[in-house]
Amino acid sequence: MMTSSKPPNHFLSPLSSQVFAPIERHLAIVDLPEGAVLYRNNEAIRHVYFPVTGIISFVVKLSDGQLVDSGSAGSNSAAGLTALHDEATAINDAIVRVAMKAATIDPHVMKTLVADSKPLGLSCIRHERMMLVLTQRMAACNAIHHLDQRLVRCLLQAHDLLNDDAVPVSLEGLSQMLGVRRSQVALAVRTLRKAGLIDYRREKIQLIDIDALRDASCECYDAINAQFHRIIGWDPDRR
C-alpha cells in the first residue's frame, strides 16, 4: 500500500480526493526493468499499471515471430484497463520498453471500485478511448508515412512520455516500435544524425533540436497530441 499522495500519473492525478482515496489504499509501487512482460495476448491481466516513469509498449506478435508496436503509454495513461471488462484477458502483449516505476492495483479490486464510482468509470472509458484512437492513428501512420518521418514521430512521443531529451532505446527496440528491419532504422538514424537533429551513442538517442524535429515529423505527432488533449486533457508541453 502507498503511504504518499497521488503518484504523478495522468490517470490518477486528475481524480478528486474523494475518488482517489479508495484507490490509494490498494496501490503498490513497483520498479520494472526494460524488457519486463506485464501481460501477454490472450492471457489473464493480473495487474493494472499506472506508470510514473518509463514507457510501456503494446505489442502485436505475428506468426513469424516478428514484434510490432501498436502503441505506447507512460505517465500519461495506464495499462491493463481491459481487465475491467467481463473477460479479463489481454488483447496484446505489454512490454516495458524503457525501465519504469509504476503504481499497480489488482484488476478485481479496480473493477469493484469502478462499479462504485461513476467518475472513475468515466476516466477508464476516456483512457481506453484514447488508446483506441492512438492505435488507429499508428496503423495509418505506419501504412502511409515515410520511415524518417515515423522515426521522428516515435522519438518525439518517447521524449514526451519521459520528459527527457535522452531516449534510452536501442536500434532493435526502434525497429519493433516502427515495424521495420533494424538496418532500415539504422539508416534513418544516420540521416537524422547527419542533419544535426539527434545523436546516438550506446543505445541512447539524444534529441538535439526539438523544434526542428517537430518540423520533420509527419502530421501524426501533432494529431495524436491534439487527441490526447481533447480526450484525456494531457498536453506534454503543459506539465
Side-chain angles (χ1 to χ4, degrees), residues 4-201:
S4 59
S5 59
K6 296 178 187 177
N9 167 275
H10 190 70
F11 183 100
L12 298 174
S13 58
L15 299 176
S16 69
S17 298
Q18 183 179 5
V19 174
F20 178 68
I23 301 174
E24 183 180 19
R25 292 194 288 269
H26 300 282
L27 290 177
I29 295 292
V30 297
D31 291 295
L32 296 162
E34 177 188 347
V37 178
L38 306 185
Y39 49 78
R40 294 222 182 256
N41 183 39
N42 291 327
E43 294 183 1
I45 298 174
R46 304 194 182 280
H47 297 90
V48 178
Y49 298 86
F50 305 100
V52 174
T53 61
I55 298 175
I56 298 170
S57 283
F58 303 110
V59 178
V60 176
K61 186 175 182 179
L62 303 180
S63 60
D64 62 0
Q66 184 178 1
L67 302 176
V68 181
D69 279 22
S70 62
S72 58
S75 61
N76 62 334
S77 193
L81 292 177
T82 54
L84 307 183
H85 302 302
D86 290 338
E87 187 176 352
T89 55
I91 59 174
N92 49 30
D93 294 357
I95 299 172
V96 176
R97 182 67 64 194
V98 176
M100 61 183 289
K101 183 184 294 290
T104 68
I105 191 170
D106 184 289
H108 300 292
V109 173
M110 186 69 175
K111 188 173 182 179
T112 299
L113 295 173
V114 167
D116 293 336
S117 172
K118 183 176 180 179
L120 183 57
L122 289 174
S123 185
C124 290
I125 290 171
R126 292 188 190 101
H127 280 262
E128 286 192 271
R129 183 183 179 193
M130 184 59 239
M131 287 299 109
L132 176 60
V133 170
L134 175 61
T135 299
Q136 291 176 334
R137 191 78 196 198
M138 292 276 285
C141 184
N142 288 340
I144 299 298
H145 292 144
H146 192 274
L147 176 57
D148 288 358
Q149 293 178 306
R150 290 162 48 210
L151 173 60
V152 173
R153 185 260 302 156
C154 180
L155 292 175
L156 287 172
Q157 288 176 314
H159 162 271
D160 292 346
L161 293 177
L162 297 171
N163 196 24
D164 195 333
D165 291 345
V167 178
V169 63
S170 65
L171 295 181
E172 183 66 31
L174 284 171
S175 72
Q176 290 182 11
M177 295 169 79
L178 295 166
V180 298
R181 293 190 301 273
R182 185 183 184 281
S183 59
Q184 293 174 284
V185 172
L187 180 60
V189 166
R190 284 197 295 270
T191 298
L192 295 181
R193 188 177 183 181
K194 186 176 181 180
L197 302 182
I198 66 170
D199 195 12
Y200 177 70
R201 296 183 183 183

